[in-house]
Amino acid sequence: LSVILPHLRAALMAQLPAKQHTLLNDLDRVKEDFSEHSEKCLAKFVSIVGGIVERALAPFIFNTNFDERAAASDEVVLCKFLNGIVTNVQKMYSVLKNLLPLNDLQDVSL
């Protein structure tokens, strides 16, 4: 939507009489509101995922001897919790790739 709005604004400006160009300010506000809303949604999403990881991972971190795990095997094996996170992130990505623009998807992935 944010990509289309400038083109829509330009097309409307070309068609509207000069005295009605002030109506385009509403379109500018819509673009700003949409951008602000997208940022808030992304921040909320990051907060939710961070909280889930923090609450669920903290008990495992304190009870895991990573040196012992590393010495026990040449192959890296994810603990059950991290394996669940990887699976859920993959599911989330498959849904979001159809909903978000590439830039926002990259923000979520990083």
Side-chain angles (χ1 to χ4, degrees):
L1 183 63
S2 61
V3 174
I4 296 172
L5 282 176
H7 300 289
L8 181 61
R9 186 182 197 288
L12 288 172
M13 185 178 281
Q15 299 298 318
L16 290 173
K19 65 181 179 177
Q20 292 182 339
H21 283 187
T22 57
L23 296 173
L24 298 175
N25 291 338
D26 290 336
L27 198 56
D28 293 337
R29 279 193 290 277
V30 167
K31 182 180 177 186
E32 291 170 12
D33 289 346
F34 181 77
S35 178
E36 183 179 311
H37 178 71
S38 294
E39 288 296 321
K40 285 181 181 179
C41 287
L42 185 58
K44 183 67 174 178
F45 172 75
V46 169
S47 173
I48 290 170
V49 171
I52 290 169
V53 170
E54 185 177 305
R55 281 189 304 277
L57 185 58
F60 290 102
I61 293 289
F62 294 117
N63 297 326
T64 303
N65 184 337
F66 290 100
D67 293 330
E68 186 178 292
R69 282 178 54 93
S73 175
D74 292 335
E75 187 176 316
V76 176
V77 179
L78 292 178
C79 65
K80 189 175 182 178
F81 172 75
L82 290 177
N83 196 26
I85 289 177
V86 169
T87 301
N88 287 326
V89 168
Q90 288 171 334
K91 288 177 186 177
M92 177 190 64
Y93 179 82
S94 68
V95 170
L96 292 179
K97 72 180 181 181
N98 297 321
L99 301 173
L100 294 177
L102 183 59
N103 290 340
D104 290 343
L105 187 59
Q106 288 173 340
D107 289 343
V108 169
S109 299
L110 298 176

